[in-house]
Amino acid sequence: MTGTLIDGKASAARLREKIAATTADLKAAHGLVPGLATVLVGSDPASQVYVKNKRKTAEALGFNSVHVELPADVAQDVLLDRVRALSNDKDVHGILVQLPLPKHLDENAVLDALDPAKDVDALTPTNAGLLLSGRAILKSCTPAGVMLLLKEYVGDISGMEALVIGRSLLFGKPAAQLLLAANATVTMAHSRSRDLPALARRADILVAAIGKPEFVKADWIKPGATVIDVGINRVDAGDGKTRLVGDVDYEAAKAVAGAITPVPGGVGAMTIICLMQNTLLAACAQNGLPLPKF
Ligand code: NAP
């Protein structure tokens, strides 16, 4: 038996179409063009690629794209001033500060300078609190992408046991909240959890966001479970090249799982488009317009 492949690329393409159409309608009906600002500090090659892809996607959708690039040794005050200026700019509806920042900069201070209404990564305490209260408009992009995949491939997850391995602010914590809001029975695991394989074997939905290549083994998976692999790990391909693998031993796991996301082409494919969805939602919310549903 081989589990269903959860095709994040195809789901992302469908969402992209809907966002493009809604963006065009918004422009025609209200003259409103969603604006996304990206802030990149330093020249980390991976961050440069991430930011470039986000800008390209925003532009392709017809958004305004504003880019701020600052040197790695930028002073904290200069960065905070730039973030505050973007927070006050009416044409900018979403602000993405690419993390991680160089060590001398205080990420929390940067998040505090960000208008929560424009926090399209949903990392500010305000947006984390709104998520907890069930009132969030802006939801963390990768967890939101995971929920869309679950909706498409599983449907109603009410009453199901979900295990989230990893408790980061970026993924694990918001993912657990969204699963809970969808009425799953949620367990969160982390590096101090005891007997992870036993916890995993109970899960109807297993979500791995650990950052360790092929850490989750096939014999941890309940037969027929849905496996969502969030991990992106670059490993040696043996021929002097590297390849991407997830946090789940995919080749073995797909024989046990009912459905499983590949890496690449699974969860990762959804993240950028969910960022665009957030920018569109932020633009509507900031202009008192009804929020589009996708
Ligand atoms: P992170 O901040 O490093 O968090 C990793 C989590 O894994 C922590 O909560 C840690 O527990 C837990 N962990 C580490 N070792 C463990 C072990 N042996 N057993 C159980 N739990 C363990 O990472 P992150 O930002 O959430 O990212 C996780 C992975 O997802 C990375 O590969 C990242 O690249 C990927 N990611 C992908 C996307 C996407 O767009 N697809 C988005 C975000 C992240 P403690 O809290 O106890 O240390």
Side-chain angles (χ1 to χ4, degrees), residues 50 142 165-172 189-193 196 208-212 215 229-233 247 267-269 271:
Y50 291 143
T142 308
I165 313 177
R167 54 175 165 180
S168 68
L169 184 63
L170 185 67
F171 184 80
H190 44 77
S191 66
R192 309 291 178 90
S193 296
L196 203 51
I210 310 159
K212 295 206 155 104
F215 184 79
D229 191 350
V230 182
I232 301 178
N233 309 289
D247 288 345
V267 174
T271 300

Side-chain angles (χ1 to χ4, degrees), residues 38-44 46-48 50-51 67-83 95-114 121 123 170:
T38 46
V39 180
L40 177 65
V41 182
S43 53
D44 173 66
S47 293
Q48 280 177 330
Y50 291 143
V51 169
H67 182 56
V68 174
E69 214 161 307
L70 297 164
D73 62 354
V74 67
Q76 168 103 356
D77 285 352
V78 174
L79 173 60
L80 294 183
D81 283 348
R82 295 302 290 269
V83 172
I95 304 170
L96 177 127
V97 181
Q98 187 65 41
L99 301 178
L101 294 170
K103 294 241 169 331
H104 70 285
L105 297 167
D106 179 354
E107 286 186 359
N108 285 335
V110 174
L111 292 177
D112 288 346
L114 196 65
D121 253 348
L123 289 173
L170 185 67

Side-chain angles (χ1 to χ4, degrees), residues 182-233:
N183 300 315
T185 301
V186 183
T187 304
M188 293 188 72
H190 44 77
S191 66
R192 309 291 178 90
S193 296
R194 260 183 281 155
D195 202 351
L196 203 51
L199 291 174
R201 283 184 199 115
R202 286 177 28 185
D204 304 304
I205 298 168
L206 194 161
V207 184
I210 310 159
K212 295 206 155 104
E214 298 174 338
F215 184 79
V216 174
K217 305 301 173 203
D219 66 354
W220 299 16
I221 295 167
K222 178 173 167 177
T226 300
V227 177
I228 304 288
D229 191 350
V230 182
I232 301 178
N233 309 289

